[in-house]
């Protein structure tokens, strides 16, 4: 197997996630050349440059490099709350659904769930979940939003909806956190800058190792005071890294070179969706494919069986329910790969 994961003629097309990308040769060169120091002591110039660059891109005072998106979100949650507080979060949100129970285990907060449509909820949903200040109730502190929304199918929040949710939250004295693991994709899809989305929030987490293709890393941004508090919780959670400049260099390279190309991943996802929607036994709304994520249902056949058959044919995808499959496009999937994948999907779905 070579660096891009191909095995000669039998390249496996890996559509399980946009986390599977390998660093490109140019990214590896940037990593090798990185100036480093001990970042826990504040001495790593490349980490500092990444933090300044990310804060500026998102229009916030400060940023903190993080080993993972999960740590970034959960440190934010801890920094915004005290144990026993309540947060309002959408039922399919990554922070609630896919982060191993961390809100309860690490921050000690109660999650009050809001039901959105494709992950998107309204100010009225917030108002309905609020309770009066009373000794019986856990105080509500924070509203969490995810953009793009992973389990929502890569959906992009309309700015008007964000603004309405933020206004409602502010009226009630609540803080706002954005899980923007794929905020870059939201911007690539809508054409609106990341800092516009970030402007509604007290804190934002972004990921460098998803669509941007860095091997490791996320960042949390917010006010100087908030990031200073978050820095202590990052250390407490075991996320203080030493010569992390080698990783920050990959993230900087990704920010500079891999952001503009996200539109290609979106076009590839749309193309694949169009092909898949045509196949027998597939339920898929092509017009809901806004970014690099697509979900489809296979009501007549178990998803696990299809996933196994696709794997044997050379295409990797994930079953995320008894009859639902998730497919992602990314940096290591070319238009040609999409055409090949579409052909293999057809082969598997039309065979009995
Ligand atoms: C992937 C992801 C994260 C963080 O994931 P890590 O694997 O911990 O880096 C957070 N939020 C969303 C929406 C994600 O898709």
């Amino acid at each position: 197997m070579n660096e891009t994961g191909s095995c000669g003629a039998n390249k496996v097309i890996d559509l399980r996630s946009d986390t599977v990308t390998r660093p490109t040769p140019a990214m590896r060169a940037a990593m090798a050349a990185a100036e480093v120091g001990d970042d826990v002591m504040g001495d790593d110039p490349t980490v500092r440059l990444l933090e300044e660059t990310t804060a500026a891109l998102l229009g916030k005072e400060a940023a903190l490099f993080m080993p993972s998106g999960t740590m970034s979100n959960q440190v934010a949650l801890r920094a915004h709350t005290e144990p026993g507080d309540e947060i309002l979060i959408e039922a399919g949100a990554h922070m609630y659904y896919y982060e191993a129970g961390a809100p309860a285990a690490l921050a000690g907060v109660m999650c009050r769930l809001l039901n959105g449509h494709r992950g998107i909820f309204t100010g009225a949903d917030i108002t309905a979940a609020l309770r009066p200040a009373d000794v019986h109730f856990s105080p509500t502190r924070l509203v969490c939003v995810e953009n793009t929304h992973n389990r929502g199918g890569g959906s992009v929040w309309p700015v008007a909806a964000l603004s309405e949710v933020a206004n409602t939250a502010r009226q009630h004295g609540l803080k706002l956190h954005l899980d923007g693991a794929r905020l870059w994709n939201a911007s690539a899809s809508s054409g609106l800058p990341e800092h516009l989305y970030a402007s509604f929030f007290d804190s934002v987490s972004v990921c460098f190792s998803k669509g941007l293709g860095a091997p490791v890393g996320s960042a949390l941004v917010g006010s100087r005071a908030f990031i200073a508090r978050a820095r202590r919780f990052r250390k407490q959670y075991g996320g203080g890294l030493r010569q992390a400049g080698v990783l920050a260099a990959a993230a900087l390279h990704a920010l500079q070179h891999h952001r503009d190309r996200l539109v290609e991943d979106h076009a590839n996802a749309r193309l694949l969706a169009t092909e898949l929607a045509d196949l027998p036994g597939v339920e898929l709304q092509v017009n809901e494919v806004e970014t690099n994520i697509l979900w489809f249902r296979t009501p007549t056949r178990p998803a696990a069986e299809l996933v196994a058959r696709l794997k044997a044919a050379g295409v990797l995808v994930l079953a995320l329910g008894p009859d639902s499959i998730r497919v992602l496009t990314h940096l290591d999937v070319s238009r040609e790969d999409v055409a090949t994948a579409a052909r293999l999907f057809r082969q598997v779905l039309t065979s009995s």
Side-chain angles (χ1 to χ4, degrees):
M1 193 175 283
N2 69 24
E3 257 183 38
T4 56
S6 62
C7 309
N10 301 316
K11 179 183 173 183
V12 171
I13 301 173
D14 193 343
L15 306 173
R16 289 172 302 170
S17 175
D18 45 8
T19 55
V20 302
T21 56
R22 323 270 169 115
T24 61
M27 184 181 278
R28 285 173 186 260
M31 294 172 78
E35 257 191 82
V36 298
D38 187 324
D39 183 53
V40 173
M41 299 195 203
D43 286 351
D44 191 302
T46 312
V47 170
R48 284 214 304 267
L49 179 60
L50 174 65
E51 290 175 343
E52 283 159 19
T53 305
T54 308
L57 252 177
L58 292 165
K60 299 289 185 209
E61 285 176 0
L64 190 57
F65 185 54
M66 293 281 188
S68 72
T70 297
M71 190 182 287
S72 191
N73 281 328
Q74 296 301 329
V75 162
L77 198 46
R78 180 64 191 87
H80 279 302
T81 61
E82 291 302 333
D85 286 350
E86 187 166 87
I87 67 163
L88 303 182
I89 187 163
E90 205 274 330
H94 195 281
M95 291 177 67
Y96 170 74
Y97 202 94
Y98 287 124
E99 299 190 2
L106 303 182
V109 296
M110 307 263 291
C111 287
R112 186 147 173 140
L113 301 183
L114 309 178
N115 287 306
H117 171 67
R118 304 185 64 229
I120 295 165
F121 54 87
T122 64
D125 294 324
I126 294 177
T127 312
L130 290 171
R131 292 178 294 173
D134 180 299
V135 72
H136 290 89
F137 301 136
S138 52
T140 311
R141 297 282 183 222
L142 180 72
V143 174
C144 296
V145 170
E146 186 173 314
N147 189 24
T148 67
H149 199 286
N150 184 340
R151 284 187 66 82
S155 48
V156 180
W157 273 73
V159 168
L162 273 185
S163 167
E164 198 245 344
V165 157
N167 284 338
T168 308
R170 301 266 177 236
Q171 273 164 24
H172 297 285
L174 307 177
K175 301 276 190 201
L176 289 131
H177 172 72
L178 173 62
D179 177 356
R182 294 194 182 82
L183 187 61
W184 321 113
N185 296 87
S187 286
S189 172
S190 68
L192 301 171
E194 290 84 354
H195 63 78
L196 175 70
Y197 289 115
S199 67
F200 298 103
F201 296 90
D202 299 286
S203 58
V204 182
S205 174
V206 290
C207 188
F208 305 115
S209 78
K210 294 251 162 96
L212 291 193
V216 174
S218 284
L220 180 63
V221 303
S223 70
R224 242 175 236 112
F226 175 80
I227 292 300
R229 183 170 154 84
R231 192 176 287 277
R232 183 165 76 81
F233 289 118
R234 184 185 70 172
K235 191 76 183 79
Q236 188 179 82
Y237 285 16
L241 301 175
R242 303 295 178 174
Q243 285 72 31
V246 286
L247 302 175
L252 277 166
H253 180 88
L255 278 178
Q256 282 153 15
H257 301 284
H258 295 168
R259 232 158 19 108
D260 289 348
R261 60 155 306 286
L262 290 173
V263 290
E264 294 171 31
D265 296 343
H266 299 178
N268 282 340
R270 189 53 91 99
L271 178 67
L272 192 54
T274 311
E275 300 269 349
L276 288 173
D278 255 4
L279 300 180
V282 169
E283 279 181 13
L284 189 158
Q285 299 299 321
V286 177
N287 62 356
E288 288 186 354
V289 180
E290 297 174 75
T291 57
N292 67 329
I293 303 182
L294 62 103
W295 287 70
F296 60 93
R297 293 190 58 238
T298 59
T300 56
R301 289 170 78 169
E305 175 211 315
L306 290 171
V307 168
R309 286 189 183 217
L310 285 162
K311 184 177 178 184
V315 182
L316 304 181
V317 296
L318 285 183
L320 289 183
D323 66 353
S324 45
I325 291 180
R326 193 191 74 168
V327 174
L328 265 93
T329 55
H330 53 75
L331 184 61
D332 289 354
V333 175
S334 65
R335 178 144 291 227
E336 198 190 342
D337 293 334
V338 168
T340 307
R343 188 168 50 71
L344 296 170
F345 271 108
R346 181 172 296 276
Q347 219 174 65
V348 167
L349 279 148
T350 54
S351 67
S352 50

